[in-house]
Amino acid sequence: MSRDLRDAFGCFATGVTLVTTHWNGQDWGMTCSSFNAVSLDPALVLWNIRHSSASHEAFVHGGGYTVSVLGSEHKEVAQAFARGTQTERFAAAKFSRRKSGRLQLVHALAWFDCTLQQTVTAGDHDILIGQVDQYGSRAGKGLVFERGQFAVDTLAVGAASTSPF
């Protein structure tokens, strides 16, 4: 991919999440900015993983995943999960194990524990669509990624939605 195209994609600000799974007796996790809601009924979410990712096989064959939405205080956690070994990544923060066996970041802004429903190949990535089995949330400021940098959202915490959408 050209640097110009990467720069253009980077103009779109996204939230930052950690995605985890448990496969072959090991915890796997990575930073993700491609997380999105798909449907309310049934409750479905998605995220994308590159075919060449070292974690690809674990996420495609792990049966599901847990998404932890990062708050403004989680910049270092996001950076840790973007590099290093799986052991080093999980040492960067405190996690709790869901009934599914997957890890959830303690104090995440929101979390979604999902059963993998469908994998769709799209170019050099797979889109992983999951059914939300359990979820939770708390008040706080979200961590945002734009133009290769982390930032904090500017919304007032707890503000009511005025969007017609």
Side-chain angles (χ1 to χ4, degrees):
M1 177 177 3
S2 76
R3 183 73 237 173
D4 290 344
L5 182 56
R6 287 182 66 93
D7 291 345
F9 283 156
C11 292
F12 181 68
T14 63
V16 184
T17 65
L18 295 183
V19 185
T20 64
T21 195
H22 190 81
W23 182 67
N24 274 355
Q26 181 179 340
D27 294 312
W28 296 82
M30 59 188 293
T31 303
C32 168
S33 62
S34 65
F35 172 73
N36 213 324
V38 175
S39 171
L40 291 174
D41 188 19
L44 299 173
V45 297
L46 66 75
W47 69 285
N48 308 322
I49 186 167
R50 189 174 359 157
H51 293 151
S52 62
S53 170
S55 302
H56 181 268
E57 188 173 8
F59 281 103
V60 169
H61 298 294
Y65 52 83
T66 300
V67 178
S68 296
V69 178
L70 301 186
S72 59
E73 69 276 21
H74 296 129
K75 177 181 173 184
E76 290 79 17
V77 176
Q79 291 171 325
F81 271 77
R83 61 184 181 280
T85 68
Q86 294 298 323
T87 301
E88 291 167 339
R89 292 175 186 197
F90 285 103
K94 185 175 178 185
F95 291 85
S96 64
R97 194 162 301 278
R98 308 293 323 150
K99 288 182 183 179
S100 65
R102 294 180 290 269
L103 293 176
Q104 171 218 321
L105 178 67
V106 173
H107 305 299
L109 279 187
W111 59 270
F112 305 90
D113 195 38
C114 307
T115 301
L116 183 61
Q117 294 296 306
Q118 186 176 5
T119 302
V120 178
T121 298
D124 60 358
H125 280 65
D126 279 336
I127 302 167
L128 304 181
I129 301 172
Q131 166 89 37
V132 177
D133 299 320
Q134 293 183 312
Y135 65 93
S137 65
R138 68 169 177 86
K141 293 275 193 180
L143 186 63
V144 175
F145 191 71
E146 181 180 4
R147 297 181 189 264
Q149 298 180 37
F150 291 106
V152 178
D153 77 31
T154 58
L155 297 175
V157 174
S161 174
T162 58
S163 171
F165 302 107

